[in-house]
Amino acid sequence: MKTNSWLFFSLLVASQAVFAEDQTHSGQAVTNAVQSGSHASASAGHSIAASGQVTSGVSAIPLAIGGVVSGTAGALSAQAAHGSAKAATAPIGTPLDITDETITVMPPDEALKNDKPAPAKSDKGI
Amino acid sequence: MKNSLLSTILLAAFLTASSSVYAGMGSGSSGASEEIHFKPEQVIQFAKQVEKTLAAKGAHVAIVARMGRPASELPEGMHYTHVAFAVYSQITTADGRQIPGYAMYNLYQEDKHPDVSDLVQDFPVDFFAGVSVLEAGIIIPSPKLQQRLLDVINSPTYAALHDPHYSLIANPYTLGRQNCTEHTLDVIGAAIYQTGDIKRIKANEIAYFKAQPVNVNPFKLALGSMFSSEISTSDQPGAPVTATFETISSFLQKYDKGSEVMTITPEP
């Protein structure tokens, strides 16, 4: 009987503390369900890709300061936009050119359509 | 008998309430599989605004934070739920063009195994796709630190600093669990001290970095770790602490003269 009473008291105290904290700033998290990351049909990435306003990016290589693109033989790609080549050699803090296009990761269905081998992705550190 | 039944009911209620205590903090470092809260064009416009702001500042590397949950749902001292490096890059498109822009270097939890993380590269629109609030926290390090960060990001050290054992509230002073903010901090430490020696990095973090106390009832924390695989206290020897965008920001503002911190919200 004594043990049961102690257990009851302990749980009562603990429970009251929990419910009280539910009303506080940090406790408001209690009321929200975790959003599953597996709802592909409603996923944010799917919605963005389906908007038709984005361009799929295959890879990205840091444009190092000084004109050398990491992962290459030591020279900027001949296909690099003039703006990016110029900007890469400028000191840090000099305004940089960026594309007006919105780049997104390639959705799996698009990747399956692409028969050409993707350019080597810089995997240094990734 | 009556006491037994009442005890059981109270225990069940207690456990149920506690199991959802971290729901608001959950999915902090998730990829673009999160549910979208804004129209795609809103996210696209905001992501491009962030990119253009970084580009106008001439930032080759920046630390960018997003709000996966409203601030009101997060514990004290936490405003952002995920942090990553934005790196000025040459991007190859699916149709073979090469254009300049920013790539995001993230540590994301795996969807099916939230206690495991990977290093994942995506782009600003993917980064902001599932946010609850269109707001970005930005730290632009000094030119010197940016150069050193690029050196680390482009080296094996970047991946070597990654520990895939994920905890939402990982302790930045210890090893064994890591979240996006701790990995970011470790990379910053590697850059500052030009080392890949994790022991040296941790020693300096203990000495100079002030982590954020996790202000959640210890009982709830213990039960949360029982019910949610993404929450662990195995790396917390004492009162739990974690790294946040805000604490990293304070650290860099104190020790990296020339660094700049800003908040970006959608242009009217």
Side-chain angles (χ1 to χ4, degrees), chain A residues 8 18 25 29-30 32 37 44-45 56 58-59 61-63 65 70 77 93-94 96-97 99 101 104-105 124-126, chain B residues 6 14 20-21 23 32-34 44 48 55 58 73-74 88 90 92 94 97-98 100 105 111 123 126 150 153-154 158:
Chain A
F8 169 75
V18 166
H25 175 85
V30 175
N32 296 292
S56 291
V58 173
S59 66
I61 297 173
L63 274 165
I65 300 100
S70 301
S77 164
T94 306
L96 299 165
D97 287 336
T99 179
E101 294 178 64
T104 184
V105 293
K124 288 182 182 177
I126 302 296
Chain B
L6 188 55
F14 181 36
S20 57
V21 67
S33 54
E34 286 284 303
I44 288 167
K48 188 54 66 178
E73 294 181 9
L74 298 177
Y88 184 63
Q90 177 176 285
T92 300
R97 290 175 296 121
Q98 290 179 325
Y105 285 64
D111 281 347
F123 300 101
D126 309 302
L150 278 176
I153 289 169
N154 289 328
Y158 181 80

Side-chain angles (χ1 to χ4, degrees), chain A residues 1 4-5 7-8 10-12 14-15 17-19 21-22 24-40 42-48 51 53-65 69-70 76-81 83-84 87-88 90-106 110 114 119 121-126, chain B residues 3-4 6-7 10-11 13-14 17-18 20-27 32-37 40-41 43-44 48 51-52 54-60 69 71-76 87-103 105 111 119-126 129-130 143-144 146-147 150 153-156 158-159 215-217 219-220 230:
Chain A
M1 181 65 112
N4 280 347
S5 295
L7 177 61
F8 169 75
S10 301
L11 288 172
L12 183 62
S15 299
V18 166
F19 292 131
E21 242 184 69
D22 286 349
T24 64
H25 175 85
S26 63
Q28 285 176 18
V30 175
T31 59
N32 296 292
V34 172
Q35 293 198 17
S36 167
S38 61
H39 293 162
S43 73
H46 180 87
S47 299
I48 297 291
S51 70
Q53 303 172 55
V54 298
T55 300
S56 291
V58 173
S59 66
I61 297 173
L63 274 165
I65 300 100
V69 177
S70 301
L76 281 170
S77 164
Q79 294 179 19
S84 63
I92 297 177
T94 306
L96 299 165
D97 287 336
I98 59 164
T99 179
D100 286 330
E101 294 178 64
T102 293
I103 310 300
T104 184
V105 293
M106 187 183 288
E110 191 171 334
N114 188 2
K121 181 177 174 178
S122 170
D123 61 355
K124 288 182 182 177
I126 302 296
Chain B
N3 278 348
S4 234
L6 188 55
S7 303
L10 282 171
L11 179 59
F14 181 36
S18 299
S20 57
V21 67
Y22 292 104
M25 292 171 62
S27 306
S33 54
E34 286 284 303
E35 193 173 312
I36 193 166
H37 299 284
E41 47 269 27
V43 178
I44 288 167
K48 188 54 66 178
E51 276 196 276
K52 288 189 172 179
L54 294 177
K57 292 280 185 180
H60 282 255
R69 292 285 183 270
S72 59
E73 294 181 9
L74 298 177
E76 181 186 344
V87 180
Y88 184 63
S89 302
Q90 177 176 285
I91 299 166
T92 300
T93 63
D95 56 0
R97 290 175 296 121
Q98 290 179 325
I99 51 180
Y102 285 91
Y105 285 64
D111 281 347
L119 295 179
V120 178
Q121 185 185 84
D122 59 14
F123 300 101
V125 77
D126 309 302
K144 180 166 234 176
Q146 285 188 49
Q147 177 64 73
L150 278 176
I153 289 169
N154 289 328
S155 76
Y158 181 80
N215 292 321
V216 178
N217 182 295
F219 224 159
K220 285 169 109 175
E230 64 183 333

Side-chain angles (χ1 to χ4, degrees), chain B residues 1-245:
Chain B
M1 182 71 162
K2 249 190 189 173
N3 278 348
S4 234
L5 180 60
L6 188 55
S7 303
T8 304
I9 292 170
L10 282 171
L11 179 59
F14 181 36
L15 292 175
T16 302
S18 299
S19 68
S20 57
V21 67
Y22 292 104
M25 292 171 62
S27 306
S29 289
S30 296
S33 54
E34 286 284 303
E35 193 173 312
I36 193 166
H37 299 284
F38 298 95
K39 294 176 186 173
E41 47 269 27
Q42 288 178 292
V43 178
I44 288 167
Q45 188 174 338
F46 180 69
K48 188 54 66 178
Q49 180 190 342
V50 171
E51 276 196 276
K52 288 189 172 179
T53 302
L54 294 177
K57 292 280 185 180
H60 282 255
V61 183
I63 296 144
V64 180
R66 72 184 187 197
M67 295 178 69
R69 292 285 183 270
S72 59
E73 294 181 9
L74 298 177
E76 181 186 344
M78 300 179 189
H79 188 81
Y80 299 101
T81 57
H82 177 65
V83 162
F85 290 105
V87 180
Y88 184 63
S89 302
Q90 177 176 285
I91 299 166
T92 300
T93 63
D95 56 0
R97 290 175 296 121
Q98 290 179 325
I99 51 180
Y102 285 91
M104 304 303 296
Y105 285 64
N106 304 275
L107 179 151
Y108 280 145
Q109 296 165 264
E110 293 187 1
D111 281 347
K112 293 183 179 175
H113 304 102
D115 59 336
V116 179
S117 72
D118 299 304
L119 295 179
V120 178
Q121 185 185 84
D122 59 14
F123 300 101
V125 77
D126 309 302
F127 181 85
F128 290 110
V131 296
S132 291
V133 180
L134 286 175
E135 179 180 317
I138 307 285
I139 305 170
I140 299 178
S142 66
K144 180 166 234 176
L145 183 52
Q146 285 188 49
Q147 177 64 73
R148 292 189 182 186
L149 281 167
L150 278 176
D151 291 340
V152 174
I153 289 169
N154 289 328
S155 76
T157 298
Y158 181 80
L161 290 174
H162 173 228
D163 182 343
H165 301 95
Y166 182 86
S167 172
L168 194 66
I169 53 167
N171 185 331
Y173 300 135
T174 62
L175 299 174
R177 292 280 173 170
Q178 191 182 61
N179 59 8
C180 61
T181 43
E182 182 177 353
H183 181 256
T184 298
L185 182 66
D186 290 345
V187 171
I188 291 170
I192 289 173
Y193 297 101
Q194 296 179 293
T195 181
D197 181 347
I198 190 61
K199 289 182 183 172
R200 186 176 167 205
I201 291 168
K202 288 302 171 191
N204 285 307
E205 285 171 1
I206 290 167
Y208 300 109
F209 178 75
K210 190 174 178 186
Q212 170 67 46
V214 180
N215 292 321
V216 178
N217 182 295
F219 224 159
K220 285 169 109 175
L221 190 59
L223 286 173
S225 66
M226 285 169 57
F227 287 96
S228 177
S229 63
E230 64 183 333
I231 297 167
S232 174
T233 55
S234 62
D235 63 336
Q236 305 280 2
V241 293
T242 195
T244 61
F245 172 82

